[in-house]
Every structure is written in C-alpha cells, then in structure tokens.
Amino acid sequence: MRTAVVTGANRGIGEAIAGELAARGLRVVPTSREARQGFVTLDVTRADHVAALAVQLAGEGGVDVLVNNAGVSLVGFDERVVRRTLDPNFLGAMHVTDALLPSMRPGGRIVMVSSGLGSLTGVRGELRARFEDPRLTREGLVALVEEFPRDVAAGVHERHGWPSSAYRVSKIAMNALVRVMARELEGDPRRIFVNAADPGWVRTRMGGRSAPRSLEHGARTPVWLALLPDGGPTGGFFRDEHAVAF
Ligand SMILES: NC(=O)c1ccc[n+]([C@@H]2O[C@H](COP(=O)([O-])OP(=O)(O)OC[C@H]3O[C@@H](n4cnc5c(N)ncnc54)[C@H](OP(=O)(O)O)[C@@H]3O)[C@@H](O)[C@H]2O)c1
C-alpha cells in the first residue's frame, strides 16, 4: 500500500487532499501543527518535529507521496511578517521534503501546494532573471530568498524588484524550489517527480467565504500530481491539471 504524508491536514485544502488520497486507497499519514488525535504532530518550522517524522516513516518502510500543503498568509508587511511567512511556506516545505527524501520509495511524488500569486510576474527586472536562471542551485536559491527580509528591513525591496507581499514571495520561492529540486532529482534512479499546484481561490479559513472554489475542487490538482503515472511531468506548475507558466 502506498503511503502519503500531508502537512497541515487538519483543515482546509490539506484535509481535503488527505481525504481524497485515502479514498483512492493510499495509507495517509495526516499531520497537524497542534497535537490532536489521529494526527502526527508536525509544525513544519520545528526541526525536532521534522526529524521525528522522518525517523517514523523510515521505520515504517518509507513514503510514496509528500504533499507540502501547510502554509500561512499573515496580515501586515515588515521583516517579521516576511520571516514568519517564509519559515513555514518556503523553508518548512523544503526541510520536510529534504528530511523525507531519503526514505522516499521509487516512483515517489512530491507536491508543493503553491498559489497563482507565486507567479514570477510579481518579480521585476534582474531579480526575475535570477529566479529564472536554469543554473540556480539550492544554495543559490536559499541565499536569494534570504535577501528579501534583509531588503525589506533596509527599505529597498521595491527598488530591488520584490513585490510588497510576504505571501507572494514565499510561493515564488516555493515554485523556484520545485524547478531546482526537479534538476537535483534528474539522475535519481527512483524517478521521483516534484511539481507545484495552484489550487485556485478556495473557501477555507485562508481563502475566506466568498472564494468560488470548494475544498474538493481545490484538492483536485494536488491529488492529480500526487498520483501521476510514470511518464511525468516533473518540475512544473499546474492549475486545473494543466501546466501554467511560472
Ligand atoms: N485557500 C485558497 O484560496 C488558497 C489559494 C492558493 C493557495 N493556497 C494554499 O493552500 C494551502 C492550504 O491553505 P488553506 O486555504 O487550506 O488554508 P487554511 O485553512 O488556513 O489551512 C492552513 C493549514 O496549514 C497549517 N499550518 C500553518 N502553519 C503551519 C506550520 N508551521 N506547520 C504545520 N502546519 C501549518 C494550518 O494549521 P493550523 O490549523 O494549526 O493553523 C492549517 O492546517 C496553503 O499552502 C495556501 O497557501 C490556498
């Protein structure tokens, strides 16, 4: 039986993804930031939680699907808000993925629940070219994203091409991570695919009541990416099961 880990599975789109994967016959390990019955406790910003989950899954024989769904959209815009957004949305997703990758079985699938707001159209000039550079490495990406809170603190982020939104940059960074990781995994004999999903605007605590999409609709593309057949794709960005431009 295939095993799927879903972060932030206690509510919203994550809960819908976990439910749908279970309905498709996968063994789902739902995780939640707060301790609650039936969930593995995983605050994606906590290294001890991430390490414990990795040990647990390795002991259980590995993982086939990882859905990095946990995320926040905070009010306000300053260096603190930026760091409190990047930590779960970008760095958390990256650390969880890195921790589970060694025990990922052949044919593994990694899904990043991103956003249409993660489009590179939000980034201007030379900065955009740096994100799009096909030679961008993991270290290079982390260093590039780290410039954002520093630029915000120094009051120069707009001049340097960044949007004035912590959430947007966190998803732009997550999308860039998908491209970098797909390149990193190119030679891996396990043929693991990594892709980003834009769920659309969904009725959740984050999306609000007036969002047009149901939870089921929002979960559809992440679930599709979690169950991709051998042929791929990998390293892409998808909405409604179709590739969209980064
Ligand atoms: N709703 C939309 O319209 C929309 C659109 C585009 C993208 N998205 C993305 O879809 C994903 C799910 O969002 P949603 O709409 O379902 O939002 P939501 O209802 O606010 O759920 C967010 C989930 O993430 C969890 N979470 C937040 N920080 C965490 C952390 N540090 N560690 C572990 N879990 C954490 C929350 O846990 P708690 O319950 O403990 O807070 C909750 O389970 C997010 O990545 C979001 O950016 C949503």
Side-chain angles (χ1 to χ4, degrees), residues 7-14 31-34 36 42-45 68-73 88-89 113-116 167 171 174 197-208 211 215:
T7 68
N10 54 296
R11 60 184 168 94
I13 297 170
T31 71
S32 162
R33 165 160 61 172
E34 305 289 340
R36 58 177 70 212
L42 176 70
D43 179 330
V44 299
T45 66
N68 286 299
N69 163 80
V72 296
S73 173
N89 294 17
V113 181
S114 183
S115 165
Y167 183 78
K171 298 300 188 180
M174 180 182 235
D198 168 14
W201 185 19
V202 183
R203 284 187 297 280
T204 64
R205 207 175 294 175
M206 186 187 292
L215 290 177

Side-chain angles (χ1 to χ4, degrees), residues 89-149:
N89 294 17
F90 169 58
L91 294 170
M94 184 174 85
H95 292 144
V96 172
T97 305
D98 286 344
L100 299 198
L101 207 46
S103 56
M104 192 158 257
R105 288 194 279 250
R109 304 288 182 254
I110 300 161
V111 182
M112 303 289 185
V113 181
S114 183
S115 165
L117 295 172
S119 161
L120 275 168
T121 51
V123 181
R124 288 183 293 108
E126 189 213 334
L127 184 63
R128 178 167 174 166
R130 291 172 69 197
F131 270 105
E132 285 179 321
D133 187 344
R135 293 162 306 177
L136 185 65
T137 61
R138 174 77 72 97
E139 295 70 30
L141 172 61
V142 171
L144 174 56
V145 174
E146 177 56 30
E147 289 178 24
F148 180 50

Side-chain angles (χ1 to χ4, degrees), residues 78-79 83 147-157:
D78 58 20
E79 184 194 3
R83 291 198 184 276
E147 289 178 24
F148 180 50
R150 288 207 306 267
D151 281 358
V152 170
V156 296
H157 73 278

